[in-house]
Amino acid sequence: MATHFHTSHDGLDRFIDGASAAKSVFSDIFSAKRLPTYVLGVAIMAVVTMAERALDAAQTGFAFEWAVLTVVALATFGLLAGLIIRSTRAAQSWFADYSKHAEQTRADVKMWAAARRDPRVMNDIIAAQGHADWMIDESRSHKVSASVKDDGLAPLAPWAQLTRYY
């Protein structure tokens, strides 16, 4: 007599579906694309809060405060929107470039550490650098047309393909 075990559970499946739906909603809300908008919102809230504190000190009425705070919020949005969004996007771009550079530096350090331990890796690196230098020299000397091989892929890769001898 064979025993049959269920591979899934209805409650667990519902929980997983709900969690994936919540993840998609929250990943959109907390997306890095929305960061400039959030920074702008925080800046507007700070300016409006300072204006509200100043109006409270002057003991104005509700309607006047509401009108003044509306004008302050709209003016702040109009004056700061472009500046804050551009600067936030520039900061995001700078951090992305920095992290890419740091990642590349870490990879280079690991590669050179491996090359120092293993002479085969070092030989491969030296050979690749020599080949890259040769390709640059070849393209600079305008002798590319003499070493071009027609491989039939010109419609897909219209640039000259150097013949490789190895």
Side-chain angles (χ1 to χ4, degrees):
M1 180 168 152
T3 306
H4 178 65
F5 293 104
H6 294 285
T7 57
S8 65
H9 186 273
D10 291 337
L12 181 60
D13 290 340
R14 283 192 305 273
F15 177 78
I16 290 172
D17 290 342
S20 64
K23 177 185 174 191
S24 70
V25 168
F26 286 119
S27 67
D28 186 43
I29 290 172
F30 297 113
S31 170
K33 293 178 193 174
R34 296 186 182 262
L35 183 63
T37 306
Y38 295 149
V39 171
L40 176 62
V42 168
I44 292 171
M45 287 179 358
V47 171
V48 168
T49 301
M50 288 187 297
E52 192 269 334
R53 298 289 171 120
L55 289 173
D56 276 350
Q59 296 183 348
T60 58
F62 172 78
F64 181 72
E65 276 188 27
W66 182 81
V68 168
L69 292 177
T70 301
V71 169
V72 166
L74 291 174
T76 304
F77 178 79
L79 295 173
L80 295 181
L83 174 70
I84 288 177
I85 289 177
R86 276 192 308 273
S87 62
T88 305
R89 286 187 180 147
Q92 285 177 311
S93 175
W94 182 85
F95 280 117
D97 291 345
Y98 178 79
S99 66
K100 186 189 310 182
H101 178 70
E103 181 180 349
Q104 183 62 43
T105 302
R106 284 190 301 273
D108 288 346
V109 166
K110 285 181 181 179
M111 180 187 65
W112 283 110
R116 276 190 229 103
R117 286 190 308 271
D118 190 350
R120 296 171 298 175
V121 175
M122 183 62 81
N123 288 337
D124 288 345
I125 291 171
I126 291 170
Q129 286 176 338
H131 185 70
D133 292 341
W134 176 82
M135 295 283 279
I136 291 170
D137 292 342
E138 183 77 13
S139 65
R140 283 187 184 154
S141 66
H142 301 292
K143 295 181 183 176
V144 175
S145 59
S147 62
V148 171
K149 176 182 173 186
D150 183 16
D151 55 3
L153 297 175
L156 299 175
W159 51 87
Q161 299 292 317
L162 296 177
T163 305
R164 294 189 177 109
Y165 300 102
Y166 52 85

